Amino acid sequence: MSNCLFCKIAAGEIPSNTVYEDEVCYAFHDIAPQAPTHFLVIPKAHIGSVSEVTADNSGTVAHIFEVIAKLAKEQNLESYRVVSNIGEQAGQSVFHLHFHVLSGRDMTWPPG
Ligand code: 5GP
Ligand code: ZN
């Protein structure tokens, strides 16, 4: 999508601090970290949010979760939270699917 911030980040048109990259997904540090570890994992191909996941693109989402598990192991994250906000009321501000990976501090439940 031409006017999408995370499409531009995935394409390298806007700089970001890379955590991991392959043909399907891109992981990078959040610009405003909410925990000592806070990175985002996104599909390279545009998907608006979890609400746009279908049988045609769910393989990408499964792959992203494999990558999250691998990165968490590599970074020795013993406890972490994976979050995806869907819609403005839930806190989504960038409308390209992304999974927040947060770790390194106590977290409350339920979330605020
Ligand atoms: P959301 O609010 O949609 O769940 O998450 C969007 C996240 O993207 C936020 O945590 C925000 O800090 C992060 N973000 C927004 N713009 C940029 C940017 O230009 N670069 C990086 N690295 N993160 C960004
Ligand atoms: Zn996009």
Side-chain angles (χ1 to χ4, degrees):
M1 249 186 136
S2 58
N3 203 24
C4 170
L5 174 65
F6 283 0
C7 281
K8 288 179 180 164
I9 285 179
E13 292 165 15
I14 291 176
S16 60
N17 291 321
T18 304
V19 173
Y20 171 87
E21 180 170 18
D22 62 28
E23 320 77 58
V24 173
C25 70
Y26 182 61
F28 57 106
H29 292 285
D30 197 290
I31 204 167
Q34 301 301 311
T37 296
H38 185 181
F39 60 87
L40 304 172
V41 190
I42 66 174
K44 287 190 168 176
H46 184 86
I47 299 171
S49 76
V50 167
S51 63
E52 291 182 14
V53 174
T54 65
D56 287 338
N57 61 22
S58 59
T60 295
V61 178
H63 176 77
I64 285 174
F65 273 83
E66 284 182 41
V67 167
I68 289 172
K70 176 176 121 75
L71 294 176
K73 277 192 198 85
E74 284 174 2
Q75 296 183 22
N76 295 311
L77 305 183
E78 283 181 14
S79 183
Y80 58 100
R81 186 171 286 183
V82 180
V83 175
S84 193
N85 299 318
I86 297 103
E88 280 175 26
Q89 190 177 28
Q92 186 176 10
S93 60
V94 178
F95 290 81
H96 177 128
L97 178 66
H98 50 282
F99 296 94
H100 299 259
V101 179
L102 300 136
S103 185
R105 66 164 170 81
D106 292 342
M107 293 184 201
T108 57
W109 191 263

